[in-house]
Amino acid sequence: MKDRDLKTITESLDGPVLVGEPLSGHTTYRVGGKAECLVCPESSDGAAWVFKYAHREEIPVTVIGAGSNVIAPDEGIRGIVLKTQNQSAEIMLPGGNIIVADAGVTLIDLARLAAREGLRGLEPIAGIPGTVGGAVFMNAGTKEGDTASLLREVQVLTNTGEFRKFNPGELSFGYRKSAFQMTDWLILRAVFELEKGDPEDISSCLERVFAERQEKYPLDEANAGSVFKRPAGDYAGRLIEEAGCKGLTVGGASVSTRHANFIINSGSATAADIVELISVIRKRVYDFSGIYLELENEILNSTA
């Protein structure tokens, strides 16, 4: 990036603009080298401005939310890393059973506010440690339900600078899949259609969800959620455990002994350790079962 680009972005934007910022502080795996420029807008409008500026000036741009499903490379990322998660991200209640959330809103915050307003439906995805934008991008979910089933509309900015609105039927949603994975578009906000319910009942259900996830998954250790997608008719965690991978270690990365479809960073892992461990797990599972596990974590490109 040129000095004039940094100056323009810094002067035009509310929110931190950090040069040479270690990505290990912005990903839940706690790995990753330096971002050439990490930009943290305080609004969706700010994120849209950065995204348009980057494309106009032909600066590579990588979008992250909470950094909870990504592996940031040890060599860092060139260009702009646009972080959408922020404390100022807005949640709007236009009325009825509709709730609108900026891409940078965390799912936990969204679900808790919806519960207070007597809106149910977000419980299946509430415990996933990510943002609304990331949930839409991945069609995040659990066996109880996914993001796409709750959506009425997604508002985006295309790589040509056009604002567009899509209904879920236009976005090729599938299991951990959406059209956004095949485009260079920025998700700005999502419109959810929920159901009316009793606030106390919904809040109690949420707390049970959080408690169950805390017990089942290694949430007190650095990880990025489920590493592999669920293969048809089976579970990745079961296959990994049956293949003898539970507790397997490469460098500072290891397969969780609590849930085999999680990789944890002991504190000294590198991105290379995690990627190598993924490769070892895949080979062992394939040799054991003939099933090739598809990655759910996203490996970010150092050159964007």
Side-chain angles (χ1 to χ4, degrees):
M1 289 181 61
K2 298 174 182 176
D3 289 343
R4 66 172 177 83
D5 292 319
L6 291 171
K7 185 174 185 293
T8 300
I9 294 169
T10 301
E11 292 178 349
S12 304
L13 195 70
D14 290 329
V17 177
L18 307 172
V19 178
E21 176 72 4
L23 290 165
S24 56
H26 300 272
T27 60
T28 58
Y29 263 137
R30 299 291 179 247
V31 300
K34 294 178 180 180
E36 185 176 359
C37 178
L38 179 74
V39 183
C40 309
E42 293 186 353
S43 68
S44 287
D45 288 343
W49 183 90
V50 173
F51 191 77
K52 286 194 287 187
Y53 182 86
H55 280 280
R56 185 173 68 248
E57 300 299 322
E58 299 183 338
I59 301 169
V61 59
T62 301
V63 180
I64 64 172
S68 58
N69 190 48
V70 298
I71 304 170
D74 297 320
E75 58 267 40
I77 297 179
R78 186 170 62 87
I80 293 171
V81 176
L82 174 57
K83 182 175 180 178
T84 60
Q85 182 191 7
N86 69 86
Q87 295 298 317
S88 302
E90 291 187 291
I91 302 173
M92 293 147 276
L93 296 160
N97 59 347
I98 300 298
I99 190 166
V100 183
D102 284 349
V105 172
T106 66
L107 295 177
I108 292 174
D109 286 345
L110 179 65
R112 283 191 163 138
L113 187 144
R116 292 196 296 271
E117 295 294 327
L119 294 173
R120 72 166 68 250
L122 291 164
E123 295 81 9
I125 65 171
I128 296 172
T131 59
V132 167
V136 172
F137 181 88
M138 284 297 299
N139 190 20
T142 63
K143 61 183 179 182
E144 285 79 25
D146 61 20
T147 304
S149 64
L150 305 168
L151 288 171
R152 172 183 278 194
E153 179 182 282
V154 182
Q155 300 171 14
V156 309
L157 178 65
T158 71
N159 55 345
T160 59
E162 180 184 6
F163 289 93
R164 296 189 62 184
K165 299 178 181 180
F166 294 93
N167 66 56
E170 298 175 291
L171 293 171
S172 302
F173 282 114
Y175 173 67
R176 305 299 174 265
K177 182 171 76 75
S178 78
F180 296 110
Q181 296 166 19
M182 298 171 280
T183 65
D184 182 17
W185 294 350
L186 177 67
I187 298 167
L188 296 174
R189 58 185 61 87
V191 181
F192 296 88
E193 186 169 8
L194 306 178
E195 298 176 359
K196 291 289 188 179
D198 179 73
E200 288 190 13
D201 288 346
I202 302 169
S203 295
S204 295
C205 180
L206 277 183
E207 295 311 314
R208 286 196 299 272
V209 168
F210 298 149
E212 287 168 5
R213 287 185 65 85
Q214 190 71 43
E215 182 178 352
K216 185 176 181 180
Y217 303 119
L219 303 184
D220 55 341
E221 300 176 277
N223 70 84
S226 297
V227 178
F228 298 102
K229 298 179 181 179
R230 186 177 67 244
D234 212 327
Y235 292 93
R238 188 196 73 81
L239 290 168
I240 295 166
E241 186 167 354
E242 288 292 314
C245 296
K246 213 169 189 180
L248 186 66
T249 297
V250 171
S254 60
V255 178
S256 171
T257 56
R258 191 181 305 179
H259 194 293
N261 197 22
F262 280 63
I263 289 175
I264 59 174
N265 176 1
S266 66
S268 60
T270 63
D273 291 340
I274 294 168
V275 172
E276 184 179 347
L277 183 54
I278 286 169
S279 179
V280 173
I281 294 167
R282 272 178 160 164
K283 184 178 186 310
R284 287 200 183 186
V285 169
Y286 186 80
D287 290 345
F288 171 77
S289 65
I291 294 173
Y292 182 79
L293 294 176
E294 187 177 350
L295 197 61
E296 184 167 328
N297 285 173
E298 181 185 2
I299 302 174
L300 300 180
N301 190 333
S302 62
T303 59

